[in-house]
Amino acid sequence: MKKWIMLIMAFTLVFTLAACGTNNNGGILTNNSGGAGTAEGTNSGGDNTGGEKEAVTLRMAWWGGQPRNDYTLEVIKMYEEKNPHVTIEPEYANWDDYWKKLAPQAAANELPDIIQMDLGYITQYGTKNQLADLTPFLNNGIDVSNIADTVVNGGKLGDKLYGFNAGVNALQIHYDPEMLKKIGMDSIPDDWTWDDYKELAKKAGDAGIFFDTGQKPEVFFSYYLRQNGQKLYSADGTQLGYDNDQLFIDYFGMTQQAVLDGGSPTPDFSAQIKGIEDDPVVKEQGISVWQWSNQFIGLQQVANRPLEMHPLPGPNVKEGMFLKPSMFWSVSENSNNKEEAVKFIDFFINDIEANKLIKGERGVPVSSVVKEALKPLLTPEQVKVFDFITWAEENSTQMDPPDPIGAAEVMNLFKTYDEQMKFNKITPEEAAKKFREEANAVLAKNKQ
Amino acid sequence: MRTNALKRHLTGYAFIGPFIIGFLVFTAIPIFASLYLSFTNYDLFTTPRWLGLDNYKKMFTADPKYTQSLKVTMLYVFGGVPLRLAFALFVAMLLNTAAKAIGLYRTIYYLPSIIGGSVAVSIMWRNLFGDEGAINSILEILGIGGVRWFAEPLAALWMLIFLSIWQFGSSMLIFLAGLKNIPASLYEAAGVDGANAVHRFFKITLPMLSPIILFNAIMQTIGAFMTFVPAYIISKGEGGPMDGTLLYSLYLFRRAFVYFEMGYASAMAWIMLLIVAFISVLLFASAKYWVHYESKGGN
């Protein structure tokens, strides 16, 4: 009898526990995009065709923290006042929950009309017919007369535009000049190269400080490949885009050496950095951070010392550099009010009063008019970021197409082998081979 | 007469109705749906595509991370559960001797089990085991020197195992109840015969407690296989360093919600069910060699 009860209990437990397993969300770390700015404005929203308009309800979804939620709600209110026939229902969540909510909505054909989209997901949603092609709306709903083509094309997959660029970011190195002096240098030379980087990392290691906190492999290796005229993924996304493993060996050999020299921390150290407050640059243990331009503002604020920004090492900086959409605005394919949805996106992108509320928090505004109008309202750090983006517009090339499906798994492979190299458990030569094999196996699934 | 009987039954069905409906909709149907999905390629957006046994084949032949996650989970379960049970028994025996304020002690020792699975405790654990955390400070005072818990895959796994040992409360309570049920006359008789504490423990306590040990072992093993939250939080959802804490359910979660491979994740869930069922059966089968049932007059 006892045995039976136990058996039954054990079985029910297996099932109920198995059912519990997926209830927990935690914190997948993300780069919350943001930017700088404040604004003055043109007025492109609010159409005055007059006459009665049919009432329209739009659902709009975004991810973000509290400050973003607050000002976005204000922008919505402003739009509704100018367009009384439109009601916008906001649906917002943090990054994690956002994607977990969006996926089932897509499965049920119930996606919101306006969706804030990320580069990492746009392929997944775009190629599975979840997002509307925005090409027909260019200059016919969305005013792109003040926006560079490279910026608009950031949301392009093949010949379809699945998302409209909401703001711009670029890669940089941010450093503390005072810390740099400790290794006998006043500033990073304008025309520095990866060889200079190797030397600086070695010097920093010898001086007992970190030169950097490591580089996100999928981002900076991709830059390195671009400098060498290669791409991380092939155009059709079914395999890796570079065929010379020597590039992998050179790049990861370099970052591995930086760790072995003590100029860059081991991954376990980086894993324990909890936030900007903990960053070695802030704690005066390190010289620099490799990151996106919008992150300069946060770093500067927390460090509370004069910091500098600098372009990435050469050669071929222009070929390597690209402008990255911090996020997109997409319209769902199942939306019944695509035109109204597009009008709101136009308001968000081009309206100066709206952008005075947004202040570049979603990345440097893409419209040159909005950008100029915001400038007088910016803090000095924000001006630096805006100026850098202006510089980068001239000194960059077209971004790689959005990541293919399976990129999340490839990123994880990068992380795995990067860790193993930095803990000196595998040589870059071996890692290059294994990485290629496994990454190609993942990407080959896109062939069907 | 018949309508009367029907009415009587109807009342009964009405009472169990909510459970039956809930069970069907939220448990039974999803279980079978996941069985179907495990034979398909399903990304949540497009209709599932039938693959036959491909998901299962890939798992065992072409997915090194799967093998790694299986290895890590086995280490976690078979390293953690015995230690946890031993510790629970140890504390239960201590509490069993305490005469005063036993209720208070019981509550205090049970507390970690209530909060142990929570996100907050996992975050606390991260900090305790950090390079400059409390654990390393203590180790340094003891002259052992710090361990880099986040650099060595095995050390990181031990960090998780320590967390699971610390949540010994529920087994401890059950042990405590079992200990209270052992007749004092047995110990008295043994004392008269000159048995010392060690003899009494191995000849009386353990055999008398064996059904409860079996029960705890099975429950804890099943629970350990399902562990998700600590691994997810402590490794920031990645299972690092170098996949050292990539527990089965964490990898399953990543397949499902990071890579959108619901079919593959479902297949993994079914294999997990089989593994857990198999190990439970083994434990039950082993019972006749070591579990002593007083009610049947002993073996």
Side-chain angles (χ1 to χ4, degrees):
Chain A
M1 190 57 206
K2 252 186 196 165
K3 276 185 179 176
W4 269 110
I5 291 174
M6 287 212 292
L7 198 66
I8 291 164
M9 285 190 71
F11 263 98
T12 40
L13 215 74
V14 169
F15 277 105
T16 48
L17 284 183
C20 288
T22 52
N23 281 342
N24 306 288
N25 317 333
I28 292 168
L29 290 180
T30 65
N31 256 341
N32 256 352
S33 16
T38 339
E40 245 347 280
T42 62
N43 216 336
S44 65
D47 33 322
N48 305 312
T49 24
E52 279 297 294
K53 285 195 178 172
E54 209 179 316
V56 173
T57 303
L58 296 173
R59 286 163 59 220
M60 170 183 175
W62 70 88
W63 73 83
Q66 201 50 46
R68 178 179 296 170
N69 298 343
D70 291 342
Y71 80 73
T72 308
L73 291 174
E74 279 182 56
V75 173
I76 290 176
K77 220 166 94 193
M78 188 190 270
Y79 185 78
E80 285 175 341
E81 273 163 21
K82 290 189 178 174
N83 300 274
H85 68 291
V86 179
T87 313
I88 294 177
E89 289 177 357
E91 297 179 11
Y92 48 90
N94 65 35
W95 168 272
D96 247 11
D97 294 340
Y98 182 77
W99 297 107
K100 273 180 222 142
K101 214 165 104 181
L102 212 57
Q105 281 180 336
N109 260 332
E110 297 226 330
L111 280 178
D113 301 275
I114 304 166
I115 305 165
Q116 185 173 312
M117 202 19 84
D118 180 77
L119 199 57
Y121 286 88
I122 196 167
T123 311
Q124 183 92 19
Y125 283 83
T127 56
K128 307 278 179 185
N129 294 326
Q130 299 297 319
L131 305 179
D133 179 14
L134 298 179
T135 321
F137 298 105
L138 296 180
N139 280 330
N140 178 27
I142 303 180
D143 178 12
V144 291
S145 49
N146 298 316
I147 303 171
D149 280 350
T150 46
V151 170
V152 176
N153 290 340
K156 234 180 187 173
L157 268 178
D159 56 351
K160 295 207 164 114
L161 187 66
Y162 286 118
F164 199 86
N165 206 329
V168 175
N169 269 339
L171 286 172
Q172 290 183 313
I173 181 165
H174 300 145
Y175 69 98
D176 180 348
E178 288 303 311
M179 289 298 288
L180 193 63
K181 280 187 189 138
K182 288 195 184 169
I183 57 169
M185 227 176 193
D186 285 335
S187 63
I188 294 179
D190 275 347
D191 54 350
W192 75 322
T193 62
W194 287 112
D195 286 331
D196 295 326
Y197 164 68
K198 287 181 204 168
E199 210 176 296
L200 287 171
K202 176 95 177 61
K203 271 190 197 163
D206 292 343
I209 51 177
F210 292 129
F211 181 75
D212 60 21
T213 45
Q215 303 171 350
K216 250 186 164 192
E218 70 272 11
V219 177
F220 289 90
F221 179 50
S222 175
Y223 167 80
Y224 189 82
L225 288 175
R226 288 168 58 91
Q227 288 180 301
N228 289 285
Q230 308 271 312
K231 285 195 177 356
L232 182 50
Y233 300 110
S234 69
D236 58 357
T238 58
Q239 57 177 338
L240 292 175
Y242 65 97
D243 35 41
N244 185 358
D245 274 347
Q246 193 56 42
L247 291 170
F248 185 105
I249 296 166
D250 289 345
Y251 174 80
F252 284 99
M254 174 175 74
T255 53
Q256 180 193 38
Q257 194 56 46
V259 172
L260 298 181
D261 289 342
S264 192
T266 47
D268 59 319
F269 179 90
S270 312
Q272 290 175 65
I273 297 176
K274 287 175 217 95
I276 305 181
E277 301 76 19
D278 250 6
D279 198 284
V281 170
V282 173
K283 291 162 86 179
E284 296 186 78
Q285 296 165 348
I287 298 171
S288 67
V289 198
W290 305 87
Q291 55 185 0
W292 295 103
S293 50
N294 65 308
Q295 293 171 302
F296 182 73
I297 295 158
L299 187 70
Q300 167 78 73
Q301 274 168 3
V302 177
N304 209 10
R305 299 190 295 281
L307 300 183
E308 286 299 330
M309 52 171 63
H310 199 275
L312 300 190
N316 305 332
V317 175
K318 185 170 178 175
E319 283 68 29
M321 277 290 286
F322 57 95
L323 294 175
K324 179 197 177 268
S326 56
M327 58 184 70
F328 299 102
W329 287 116
S330 293
V331 174
S332 65
E333 183 63 36
N334 64 307
S335 166
N336 294 324
N337 295 302
K338 293 198 182 74
E339 275 169 34
E340 289 291 341
V342 164
K343 271 187 206 157
F344 179 76
I345 293 175
D346 179 61
F347 178 76
F348 213 97
I349 302 285
N350 284 314
D351 188 86
I352 288 184
E353 290 307 311
N355 274 284
K356 278 187 187 169
L357 294 171
I358 302 166
K359 290 185 187 161
E361 195 271 335
R362 279 174 156 95
V364 172
V366 290
S367 154
S368 53
V369 175
V370 170
K371 208 160 60 177
E372 277 311 309
L374 284 182
K375 262 200 172 163
L377 305 170
L378 299 177
T379 65
E381 300 94 81
Q382 290 170 327
V383 172
K384 270 190 195 165
V385 175
F386 272 51
D387 285 346
F388 183 82
I389 294 293
T390 310
W391 175 86
E393 276 168 6
E394 298 302 313
N395 291 283
S396 64
T397 42
Q398 178 69 45
M399 185 186 73
D400 296 349
D403 293 347
I405 295 172
E409 219 177 325
V410 174
M411 278 183 219
N412 187 257
L413 288 173
F414 265 131
K415 194 181 157 64
T416 306
Y417 287 115
D418 186 45
E419 272 183 2
Q420 291 188 14
M421 282 184 276
K422 286 179 174 170
F423 285 129
N424 217 0
K425 302 253 155 123
I426 192 172
T427 62
E429 286 78 8
E430 264 175 276
K433 220 174 111 223
K434 283 190 170 176
F435 172 78
R436 171 174 298 279
E437 248 165 53
E438 290 174 36
N440 276 340
V442 170
L443 296 168
K445 281 185 261 175
N446 293 335
K447 273 181 190 156
Q448 300 132 2
Chain B
M1 177 67 203
R2 271 188 68 184
T3 49
N4 247 349
L6 191 70
K7 249 189 196 161
R8 263 208 328 272
H9 289 151
L10 217 60
T11 323
Y13 284 123
F15 273 114
I16 59 168
F19 167 77
I20 296 286
I21 292 167
F23 174 76
L24 285 177
V25 174
F26 296 114
T27 307
I29 294 175
I31 284 174
F32 288 106
S34 99
L35 181 60
Y36 165 71
L37 289 176
S38 76
F39 296 105
T40 66
N41 180 357
Y42 180 46
D43 62 6
L44 270 185
F45 302 105
T46 42
T47 39
R49 197 162 40 83
W50 186 260
L51 287 180
L53 286 171
D54 280 8
N55 282 336
Y56 293 92
K57 249 186 251 161
K58 184 187 161 194
M59 220 179 283
F60 291 107
T61 56
D63 188 354
K65 293 234 171 188
Y66 177 80
T67 326
Q68 168 71 11
S69 79
L70 208 55
K71 205 178 90 191
V72 168
T73 311
M74 290 296 173
L75 274 173
Y76 175 78
V77 173
F78 293 108
V81 172
L83 286 174
R84 186 190 217 178
L85 290 182
F87 194 61
L89 182 56
F90 173 72
V91 176
M93 289 180 65
L94 280 185
L95 288 185
N96 199 29
T97 58
K100 280 183 186 166
I102 180 149
L104 179 71
Y105 285 121
R106 241 180 1 216
T107 314
I108 290 173
Y109 283 107
Y110 188 64
L111 269 181
S113 309
I114 300 177
I115 57 172
S118 74
V119 173
V121 167
S122 300
I123 291 173
M124 178 189 89
W125 217 252
R126 264 190 79 87
N127 294 339
L128 280 178
F129 282 82
D131 286 350
E132 286 154 20
I135 302 290
N136 273 350
S137 305
I138 293 169
L139 287 180
E140 259 155 47
I141 291 167
L142 295 176
I144 302 171
V147 178
R148 286 168 63 203
W149 297 98
F150 292 89
E152 287 298 322
L154 213 56
L157 186 61
W158 271 102
M159 176 164 65
L160 286 185
I161 292 176
F162 288 137
L163 177 56
S164 94
I165 295 172
W166 184 60
Q167 299 161 47
F168 59 87
S170 61
S171 324
M172 186 259 312
L173 277 192
I174 298 169
F175 277 137
L176 194 55
L179 286 172
K180 296 244 179 262
N181 271 338
I182 301 175
S185 56
L186 291 180
Y187 291 110
E188 280 158 20
V192 170
D193 288 345
N196 61 22
V198 177
H199 283 135
R200 286 203 297 267
F201 176 73
F202 283 106
K203 299 290 179 192
I204 301 173
T205 313
L206 273 189
M208 291 299 284
L209 218 50
S210 56
I212 298 189
I213 295 174
L214 174 67
F215 172 80
N216 271 337
I218 288 172
M219 299 308 257
Q220 298 300 328
T221 305
I222 294 171
F225 269 106
M226 311 290 169
T227 309
F228 175 78
V229 177
Y232 184 83
I233 302 291
I234 290 174
S235 73
K236 293 188 174 166
E238 302 267 2
M242 288 182 271
D243 296 330
T245 59
L246 189 68
L247 291 184
Y248 200 100
S249 38
L250 177 58
Y251 186 52
L252 190 155
F253 171 86
R254 289 186 61 82
R255 279 284 167 193
F257 293 99
V258 181
Y259 306 150
F260 291 113
E261 294 175 17
M262 295 293 163
Y264 192 76
S266 297
M268 280 183 69
W270 279 90
I271 293 295
M272 159 100 103
L273 179 72
L274 290 183
I275 292 173
V276 174
F278 179 69
I279 288 173
S280 305
V281 167
L282 273 191
L283 278 171
F284 274 116
S286 75
K288 64 169 170 263
Y289 301 106
W290 60 277
V291 177
H292 173 90
Y293 286 107
E294 191 65 9
S295 52
K296 283 192 294 182
N299 288 353

